[in-house]
Amino acid sequence: MPTLTALTVTGDRESGIRLCARYMNRQTRQPDKWLVVDDGVTPVNPSVVSGADVITRKPTGIDAAHTLPQNLLTALPLVTTDFLVMMEDDDWYHPEYLARMEQWLTKTPLAGESPALYYRVGTRMWRNMPVKFWRPHASMACTGMAQRMYPALAAACIGGNPSVDLRLWRMMFAGRRCLHEPKPRLCVGIKGMDGRQGQTMGWSRDEQGYVRDPEMVYLRTLIGHDAEAYAGFYSGD
C-alpha cells in the first residue's frame, strides 16, 4: 500500500488550524504522516494538532512577503512517503479528500481538484474560479503528487514567487497530470477567517465575479453542517 504525507503550512491562524485538525481527524484515509510547518509568531499548540510532526520555522530577513515557498522548502526534505498531499490550514476538506487523492495519484504523478471555489466568510460571498485553457491547474490547497514530483515542487518554490501552484502545474512539469472535478466537491477555499491573511488569488477585495450568500444557503449545500463553524466570521460588509 502506498504511503502518504499530508502537509499543512500555517502561521498565526488559530481558528484555521483547529478546523484543519478537525477535518484531518475525520479523513477516511488517515495519512502515514501529518507534517505541519509553522512560521507564526505564536507557536501552534501541539495539543491542537495531536499526532502531527510540527516543524517550527523562524522567519528570516530574506523571507518573501508570502512565506508558502519557504515553508514548502523546509518541509520537502522531511517527506519520504510515496505521495504528498496538501491540506491548507484555513480551507474546508471533505472526509474522502485524502482517499480520493490517493486513488488519483496511483494513476498520475500530479493530481488535483479544479476549478477552485472560494468562499469569503467575512462577507459571505463565493466564486467558482474559471480555469483558462492556457493555464489549467489546481490550487496548492488541493494538489497532490507522487515522489518523483518532489524536485519539481522544490524548483517551483525557488525565488519566493507565491504562485507555486501555477509554476508547478504549468512550467515545472510537462509530463502526465490530471485535473478532476469530483462531485461532491472535496475542497472549498475559505477566505477571511481571523489571523494572518493570504496574498494569492481569492484574497483581494478588488476581485470581481463573487455571488452573495448572506444566509449561507449555498455554503451549506457545499459543506453541510460544517458551515456553522464559519458563521461567527461574518462582518456584514
Side-chain angles (χ1 to χ4, degrees), residues 16 19-24 26-27 86-97 113 117-119 121 141-142 182-191 193 219-230:
L19 287 173
C20 182
R22 178 195 296 182
Y23 303 146
M24 180 67 76
R26 69 187 191 191
Q27 291 295 307
M86 296 298 301
M87 281 189 70
E88 292 201 352
D89 63 349
D90 59 348
D91 289 341
W92 175 88
Y93 290 94
H94 191 282
E96 292 288 326
Y97 172 71
E113 180 179 36
L117 188 145
Y118 295 147
Y119 194 101
V121 294
C142 47
K183 295 191 176 10
R185 176 173 286 275
L186 299 178
C187 176
V188 175
I190 302 294
K191 311 295 180 183
M193 296 173 65
L219 185 60
R220 289 188 183 93
T221 67
L222 294 171
I223 67 175
H225 294 302
D226 286 338
E228 307 310 316
Y230 303 101

Side-chain angles (χ1 to χ4, degrees), residues 65-130:
H66 186 68
T67 58
L68 174 64
Q70 291 95 326
N71 290 337
L72 290 174
L73 288 171
T74 298
L76 273 171
L78 305 175
V79 180
T80 58
T81 49
D82 299 306
F83 300 145
L84 170 64
V85 179
M86 296 298 301
M87 281 189 70
E88 292 201 352
D89 63 349
D90 59 348
D91 289 341
W92 175 88
Y93 290 94
H94 191 282
E96 292 288 326
Y97 172 71
L98 291 180
R100 295 292 297 278
M101 276 288 192
E102 182 177 48
Q103 291 173 3
W104 296 340
L105 290 171
T106 60
K107 300 176 182 177
T108 182
L110 185 63
E113 180 179 36
S114 184
L117 188 145
Y118 295 147
Y119 194 101
R120 295 176 173 172
V121 294
T123 55
R124 293 184 182 171
M125 303 173 70
W126 64 273
R127 183 185 181 191
N128 203 29
M129 304 301 291

Side-chain angles (χ1 to χ4, degrees), residues 2 19 58 60 102 113 145 179 184 194 200:
L19 287 173
K58 298 295 184 183
T60 69
E102 182 177 48
E113 180 179 36
M145 67 203 72
L179 294 168
D194 55 7
T200 51

Side-chain angles (χ1 to χ4, degrees), residues 10-13 38-44 56-59 67 196:
T10 190
D12 297 319
R13 289 180 170 178
D38 174 27
D39 69 354
V41 175
T42 302
V44 169
T56 300
R57 189 187 73 83
K58 298 295 184 183
T67 58
R196 187 166 66 189

